[in-house]
Amino acid sequence: MDVFLSWLFSSEEQERYILDCMAYFMDFMAACTFVSLLFQNVPYGRYASSRYGFPVSVTFAWFIQELPSLLLPLCLVFWTSSSKTSLLPNQLLIAMFFCHYVQRTLIYPFLIRGGKATPFASFALAFVFCIYNGYMQARYLSHYAEYPADWVTHPRFITGSALWLIGWLVNIHSDHILRNLRKPGETGYKIPRGGMFEFVSGANFLGEITEWAGFALAGRSAHSAAFSVFTTVVLANRAVAHHKWYLAKFEDYPKSRKALIPFVF
């Protein structure tokens, strides 16, 4: 892996510059995505469309598209001269990233019950994004990120880590609720109830947005911040779309429930 990186970049200074550019480009893509989502929902799940390519099995799509966010960071952490992985702040931040993607890659896809096939275009874009972001996050944290010796006791790190944990737990619990809405043999959509779904339609999205916002706060970098911004743009749009869809489909949908932010929005 070191040989490949040495071939790809002429120096560590060049690689660090490229990593920074990748973060700023992700911010740019977040802005472009925000505009495009004003006119079109992300085409997967209930918004899947044949216009975006042939259908891919939902389990296969989730497993393969998320896999680079697990395998690539593993290679970068364990098979390169990762000069910062001996430092506790870096270890904890890398562990947060791994924790999410172990669950998202090796557990979540195989718990899906039913689920619409994913259009190939959505699958391919997600796959490319996971390569891009997996490299950017893992390489920065394992080889370039520098934090004060007492960073893990800093209020910003503690607050960010707490937010990450809360968001991760909300995300997993909300996914569990969604998986168990229908009994074996049942079809169709139902109103999700319990947990944060009592307050918002996009409880699973709120969890993941909170998770990566906490990661960005604890990570204190352009790279983690860009990931958080991009995630928020995509998932906030999806939460709003779900909320409108639920209101249109179910006459008895709770009118006090908000789209994404409890009691607010």
Side-chain angles (χ1 to χ4, degrees), residues 13-262:
E13 288 74 17
Q14 184 190 47
E15 184 181 23
R16 174 59 192 271
Y17 175 75
I18 294 298
L19 285 169
D20 291 345
C21 289
M22 290 175 70
Y24 301 138
F25 182 71
M26 186 176 284
D27 287 326
F28 171 74
M29 289 306 299
C32 293
T33 301
F34 175 80
V35 174
S36 68
L37 291 179
L38 295 175
F39 307 98
Q40 171 68 53
N41 292 320
V42 180
Y44 73 90
R46 68 190 63 176
Y47 312 111
S49 169
S50 58
R51 291 184 300 164
Y52 296 94
F54 60 86
V56 180
S57 161
V58 65
T59 296
F60 177 85
W62 272 105
F63 173 67
I64 296 299
Q65 74 190 28
E66 302 294 310
L67 195 58
S69 287
L70 180 61
L71 289 185
L72 188 53
L74 280 172
C75 292
L76 290 169
V77 169
F78 294 107
W79 295 339
T80 65
S81 54
S82 304
S83 60
K84 305 297 183 182
T85 52
S86 62
L87 304 175
L88 184 58
N90 304 60
Q91 291 173 346
L92 292 174
L93 288 162
I94 291 169
M96 292 178 197
F97 194 83
F98 276 140
C99 194
H100 176 89
Y101 280 105
V102 165
Q103 196 278 336
R104 187 60 75 187
T105 305
L106 303 181
I107 300 174
Y108 173 79
F110 304 101
L111 295 177
I112 295 174
R113 297 179 181 178
K116 289 186 177 180
T118 301
F120 180 78
S122 295
F123 161 68
L125 287 173
F127 181 78
V128 171
F129 177 83
C130 286
I131 293 174
Y132 186 103
N133 189 57
Y135 163 73
M136 182 175 71
Q137 302 298 334
R139 186 58 174 169
Y140 174 74
L141 288 172
S142 66
H143 202 69
Y144 294 102
E146 295 184 358
Y147 299 99
D150 60 347
W151 182 240
V152 295
T153 62
H154 192 283
R156 179 169 175 172
F157 184 88
I158 294 171
T159 303
S161 298
L163 283 173
W164 177 88
L165 180 59
I166 292 168
W168 185 69
L169 292 174
V170 168
N171 182 241
I172 290 176
H173 183 244
S174 300
D175 283 341
H176 172 76
I177 290 173
L178 291 173
R179 277 195 302 271
N180 291 279
L181 283 177
R182 294 188 293 266
K183 297 178 181 178
E186 288 186 331
T187 58
Y189 289 97
K190 290 188 174 184
I191 298 174
R193 300 187 187 278
M196 288 301 297
F197 281 112
E198 294 299 316
F199 304 97
V200 295
S201 299
N204 50 330
F205 306 128
L206 173 62
E208 189 161 350
I209 288 171
T210 302
E211 187 181 346
W212 295 123
F215 179 75
L217 184 63
R220 197 190 63 174
S221 72
H223 315 83
S224 57
F227 182 30
S228 176
V229 168
F230 191 92
T231 299
T232 299
V233 166
V234 174
L235 297 187
N237 170 270
R238 201 158 178 82
V240 171
H242 276 30
H243 186 65
K244 292 178 180 178
W245 185 90
Y246 281 126
L247 288 171
K249 186 172 181 62
F250 298 102
E251 291 184 0
D252 59 338
Y253 194 73
K255 298 299 186 291
S256 61
R257 192 177 294 187
K258 301 299 182 181
L260 184 64
I261 304 174

